[in-house]
Amino acid sequence: MKFSLTILFVIVLLSCTGKRSDNVITTGSLLNEMTDLNRLAVLSDEHYSARQFSSYDRRSTHSTDSCWFSNEDGFGNEPIPGFCEVLKQPGTDGIGEYLICDVKQPGAITRLWTAGLNGKIRLFLDNGSNPVYEGDAQDFFWKTAAVLSGKAVKPEYADMFRQFDATYFPIPFSKRCRIEWIGNIGKIHFYHVGMKLYDPDVKVKTFSISDFKEIAGKIEEVNNILNSPERSDLSDAPLIGIPEIEVPDSAKKEILRISGTKEIESFSLTISASDIENALRKSILTIFFDDSSVPQVEAPVGDFFGSAPGLNPYHSLPFTIQTNGTMICRFVMPFRRSVRIAIENFSGEIIKLKGSVRVDDIEWQDGKTMQFRTRWRVDNGLTASTFDAGKNGVQDILYLMASGKGRIVGAAAFIYNPSNATTSWGNWWGEGDEKIFVDRDTFPSFFGTGSEDYFNYSWSSSKIFSYSYCGQTRNDGPDNRGYVSNYRWHIADDIPFMDKIAFYMELGHHGTVPDFSYGRIVYFYALAEALDNYSKITASEIISLPYKKWEPVAYLGSAGFRYIQAEKLIAAEPSVKIEKGKLWAAESIVMWMPVKNGARLIFNLPSDSTVEKAKIGLTLAHNPEGGEISASVNGKSVKFDGNETVNTYEPFQTKLVNHFSREVFLKKGDNEITIQSVSGQGKKIGIDFIWVKEF
């Protein structure tokens, strides 16, 4: 999809059915909050805190304990059940009853996530003796609107508000929320339940099935915006262009200065350079509000827009990166007296940039209007290690430390994972949990179950995806090796702090991997007097990490396989080139350009003996020029990943993806593995290496 350069917007929801009546929190008002970026910049009149209930390992009690990094958090048969309480011990059928939470104050469920949850859920609101919902647990977490709508259910509600493995349909309650799980503790039962918890004097109207009828239009409106946030442009605020500017190497240039009491509603930037990936990491964006001595915003340009390294197109509610390279931020940025934006260039070449800002007047509210801030950090040269007992290799990575009043509204991670393992069970980098301490916490308000779970996906997925609140916009592969970029925006589930906040993410790997790099950025609002862990970004931190030459290694999930580089198994062929590149194993790949559909490419795979049962793996390049193929072994058609064909098209990225056959017969001597073009004419089919496992 090609986006318009002028997609710079502020979302305004005026539907009367979604308005708050007499300062009462309702399902409709919470739906409005899901797309209202303006509210994030102002402290709320109705004070609330954020809390997450999860299946984290209950042996983790304090950072000085030996079990602080324990990782039994939903796989089944944990040493301590991952619940607040065991309500009923498992019977002979293995089914028990467990308490997820019992909250006795006004609040709202804002986020549900699971990686797969067996059993049933009972949801009680206020002091009702009958559950509002009693039924399938996974449906409750993934099809929330559909299952709560009861008889009013519409088929289109099934996936409403779901973003990968998280769902954001709001469920307010005035007095109490109790959630019970009934299931087999020996099976998968990962879960997160995110809530807003209001002060006792805040008025909340409890969710009712009648809400679906009363605010049906609002539900559809908000869902449509979340599904296509890049299409909305409702602001009529003045647009100020930033004309093309050249920034020499080692120079800093101011690109915008505005005085007055105003706010930036949106901000776009395009950078041109011969090495764009290098330029985006080595050009520093700084934004100073109200003559501050230090920038409230400081980050490498590409990282600031939530996806790095390089240009990785995606769209979300607060950020978009267009296919033409235009980067857009929609987080509003209020200022009382002035704003100044500058770019400092360490890229080694002249860069050119242009852009625009949409600015409007505002009424500044003392003690309530907050400044927008980002804090970027990177740790290069780390050794990522496992959770194995006695190795002590896991560590807490600091995302943010701040004091004062404010709210977290998002975070992104930019990983370089130079593992030589070839499967997720082996090269997965994000086994560690988020730990977020808020205000006077002695134990985190948020204690998660895995880094991918925080970013709304699960099972170390290597898929490229983007939603309004979450995404994975780069993942080089195979599986989770190479460069990885994840983001999550806290819009409906912002995390306010009234005194201080400390945000950590564990770094726990499936292997021991040196030269690991962990970059991250946190987006938050805070009153001007708030303090945070700012330290000026140095040229040594923004290095472009060299993509290390690598060879595939059989480890954990790939144990027992042997690997052969594809170029060693193929004869000279006019339609084939051996391309060089750091992404590929041994820095080379067979790149096939089929001259017609139905064209074939043959690899001769040797076997020392007859093998009745073997499994073949193909590691293929997926890219914007990719096509569809089929495969056969010794003339017999073979399904890969259970499918007759494999599609190697990836819209915006080039990445390596593993594909595996069913069991096949190999004869002694050469075996022909034939790749056939299905819709590959004029396409590029990349074959990096072939795997073989004999049973």
Side-chain angles (χ1 to χ4, degrees):
M1 181 181 294
K2 187 174 182 180
F3 307 123
S4 167
L5 176 63
T6 60
I7 298 174
L8 306 165
F9 72 98
V10 173
I11 295 172
V12 181
L13 298 174
L14 298 176
S15 170
C16 62
T17 57
K19 284 186 177 180
R20 185 177 300 171
S21 175
D22 299 324
N23 293 322
V24 177
I25 307 297
T26 66
T27 305
S29 71
L30 290 169
L31 284 165
N32 277 348
E33 291 183 4
M34 293 179 70
T35 55
D36 186 358
L37 298 179
N38 283 282
R39 79 166 184 90
L40 299 173
V42 182
L43 286 174
S44 174
D45 289 328
E46 296 85 20
H47 179 254
Y48 59 88
S49 59
R51 176 77 189 277
Q52 177 173 280
F53 299 89
S54 82
S55 55
Y56 76 90
D57 193 316
R58 273 13 188 214
R59 292 174 296 173
S60 300
T61 56
H62 194 275
S63 60
T64 59
D65 292 342
S66 61
C67 293
W68 186 239
F69 296 115
S70 295
N71 193 43
E72 297 298 324
D73 49 21
F75 297 98
N77 292 318
E78 291 78 19
I80 303 174
F83 297 89
C84 292
E85 186 180 338
V86 178
L87 301 174
K88 183 179 179 181
Q89 292 290 346
T92 55
D93 58 359
I95 306 299
E97 298 184 12
Y98 304 85
L99 182 66
I100 288 178
C101 65
D102 191 1
V103 174
K104 299 176 182 179
Q105 66 185 93
I109 298 172
T110 54
R111 172 182 176 264
L112 296 168
W113 168 92
T114 185
L117 188 64
N118 74 89
K120 295 182 179 181
I121 285 288
R122 292 193 195 113
L123 170 67
F124 298 88
L125 297 181
D126 295 343
N127 294 319
S129 56
N130 295 320
V132 174
Y133 172 77
E134 182 172 12
D136 185 85
Q138 192 161 279
D139 283 351
F140 175 72
F141 276 76
W142 283 347
K143 301 178 181 179
T144 315
V147 300
L148 291 180
S149 60
K151 294 181 180 179
V153 66
K154 296 181 179 180
E156 59 267 30
Y157 281 178
D159 293 320
M160 270 193 170
F161 305 103
R162 181 172 172 184
Q163 301 190 22
F164 212 97
D165 286 336
T167 306
Y168 285 89
F169 186 77
I171 308 173
F173 49 91
S174 64
K175 298 176 182 178
R176 188 179 187 185
C177 177
R178 180 181 174 93
I179 304 176
E180 299 173 356
W181 175 69
I182 305 94
N184 190 329
I185 199 74
K187 297 180 179 179
I188 299 296
H189 53 268
F190 293 92
Y191 69 87
H192 290 182
V193 176
M195 289 189 181
K196 285 183 175 179
L197 302 180
Y198 296 96
D199 284 354
D201 59 346
V202 175
K203 296 179 181 179
V204 178
K205 180 185 176 183
T206 301
F207 165 82
S208 168
I209 190 173
S210 64
D211 290 350
F212 284 95
K213 182 177 180 180
E214 294 171 5
I215 59 173
K218 175 60 57 184
I219 292 172
E220 185 175 355
E221 178 185 7
V222 172
N223 188 63
N224 288 341
I225 291 172
L226 293 178
N227 285 341
S228 301
E230 77 286 355
R231 296 180 180 177
S232 298
D233 188 1
L234 304 181
S235 175
D236 57 1
L239 184 67
I240 300 173
I242 300 173
E244 187 169 271
I245 298 171
E246 284 192 353
V247 185
D249 180 43
S250 303
K252 185 175 184 177
K253 280 199 175 182
E254 184 177 286
I255 63 173
L256 183 74
R257 182 189 289 263
I258 301 173
S259 298
T261 304
K262 303 177 184 293
E263 74 176 5
I264 295 174
E265 292 189 346
S266 53
F267 167 45
S268 76
L269 200 62
T270 305
I271 286 184
S272 300
S274 60
D275 186 343
I276 189 64
E277 185 168 306
N278 180 65
L280 289 173
R281 173 51 68 90
K282 292 189 176 181
S283 299
I284 306 300
L285 170 71
T286 54
I287 306 179
F288 295 80
F289 300 113
D290 300 330
D291 306 311
S292 174
S293 60
V294 299
Q296 282 88 349
V297 172
E298 183 177 82
V301 172
D303 298 50
F304 171 77
F305 288 94
S307 180
L311 283 170
N312 306 296
Y314 78 101
H315 62 84
S316 71
L317 196 64
F319 285 103
T320 289
I321 296 180
Q322 299 177 352
T323 54
N324 67 1
T326 299
M327 302 171 288
I328 302 167
C329 172
R330 304 183 190 94
F331 276 125
V332 299
M333 304 180 193
F335 50 95
R336 187 168 191 172
R337 295 182 300 276
S338 65
V339 63
R340 178 167 59 90
I341 303 178
I343 298 285
E344 191 168 8
N345 178 18
F346 295 101
S347 70
E349 64 171 302
I350 297 173
I351 64 170
K352 295 180 181 180
L353 62 88
K354 60 182 178 180
S356 62
V357 294
R358 203 175 282 279
V359 181
D360 208 356
D361 296 327
I362 62 166
E363 182 178 339
W364 187 274
Q365 302 178 64
D366 287 334
K368 293 187 68 176
T369 303
M370 297 184 286
Q371 297 170 336
F372 180 68
R373 302 192 188 192
T374 67
R375 288 297 174 243
W376 179 90
R377 303 171 67 92
V378 69
D379 288 294
N380 296 317
L382 294 172
T383 295
S385 298
T386 73
F387 280 83
D388 291 348
K391 288 193 175 181
N392 280 328
V394 181
Q395 54 194 296
D396 283 325
I397 301 292
L398 179 65
Y399 271 49
L400 177 70
M401 185 85 70
S403 62
K405 293 182 180 180
R407 59 163 57 96
I408 287 178
V409 295
F414 315 111
I415 303 299
Y416 175 55
N417 175 28
S419 171
N420 289 326
T422 53
T423 57
S424 290
W425 184 29
N427 65 23
W428 173 235
W429 57 269
E431 200 65 40
D433 312 328
E434 80 273 17
K435 300 168 181 171
I436 305 176
F437 296 82
V438 182
D439 294 335
R440 299 180 181 275
D441 278 349
T442 56
F443 188 83
S445 289
F446 288 67
F447 199 128
T449 53
S451 302
E452 78 271 47
D453 311 344
Y454 169 79
F455 289 109
N456 281 353
Y457 61 108
S458 63
W459 301 114
S460 52
S461 174
S462 59
K463 291 182 179 178
I464 302 296
F465 64 92
S466 65
Y467 294 89
S468 52
Y469 292 166
C470 64
Q472 181 164 249
T473 57
R474 180 166 177 173
N475 194 320
D476 291 349
D479 283 358
N480 304 110
R481 81 167 309 279
Y483 286 115
V484 181
S485 184
N486 290 172
Y487 69 82
R488 176 175 165 194
W489 313 133
H490 291 273
I491 310 301
D493 60 338
D494 58 285
I495 306 174
F497 54 96
M498 301 303 291
D499 179 29
K500 58 187 176 182
I501 195 158
F503 182 165
Y504 299 91
M505 188 81 74
E506 294 174 349
L507 172 57
H509 206 288
H510 282 179
T512 300
V513 181
D515 298 321
F516 190 97
S517 177
Y518 201 128
R520 62 273 188 200
I521 186 171
V522 177
Y523 307 80
F524 64 110
Y525 287 92
L527 294 179
E529 60 269 22
L531 300 174
D532 59 59
N533 58 318
Y534 170 74
S535 60
K536 182 174 176 57
I537 298 173
T538 64
S540 63
E541 292 178 301
I542 54 173
I543 58 175
S544 292
L545 297 169
Y547 215 114
K548 294 174 61 178
K549 185 174 181 179
W550 71 285
E551 298 277 356
V553 171
Y555 174 65
L556 294 183
S558 58
F561 279 94
R562 59 186 174 96
Y563 305 93
I564 309 99
Q565 289 298 124
E567 58 269 26
K568 295 181 179 180
L569 301 178
I570 192 169
E573 163 66 46
S575 61
V576 167
K577 293 182 179 179
I578 307 301
E579 290 192 0
K580 299 294 183 180
K582 297 289 187 180
L583 178 61
W584 322 125
E587 298 186 347
S588 63
I589 189 171
V590 171
M591 197 62 71
W592 179 39
M593 284 72 73
V595 295
K596 63 179 181 179
N597 291 339
R600 298 182 177 187
L601 187 66
I602 297 175
F603 297 86
N604 291 306
L605 177 68
S607 177
D608 293 335
S609 59
T610 298
V611 180
E612 294 292 334
K613 294 181 179 181
K615 181 173 281 190
I616 304 295
L618 301 175
T619 296
L620 306 178
H622 286 219
N623 59 68
E625 299 175 86
E628 195 171 6
I629 63 166
S630 62
S632 61
V633 177
N634 292 327
K636 292 185 178 181
S637 178
V638 174
K639 291 182 179 181
F640 277 76
D641 307 329
N643 301 312
E644 298 286 351
T645 63
V646 174
N647 191 347
T648 67
Y649 173 72
E650 181 69 47
F652 304 125
Q653 307 299 321
T654 296
K655 57 180 299 189
L656 288 172
V657 180
N658 300 323
H659 302 278
F660 295 100
S661 74
R662 58 172 175 77
E663 291 181 351
V664 298
F665 171 85
L666 295 180
K667 63 184 180 180
K668 184 177 181 179
D670 282 345
N671 294 265
E672 288 190 351
I673 299 178
T674 303
I675 308 296
Q676 181 169 327
S677 169
V678 176
S679 60
Q681 183 176 354
K683 305 294 186 179
K684 295 178 70 174
I685 310 298
I687 306 96
D688 194 6
F689 52 91
I690 296 174
W691 316 31
V692 183
K693 185 174 185 178
E694 300 170 354
F695 296 93

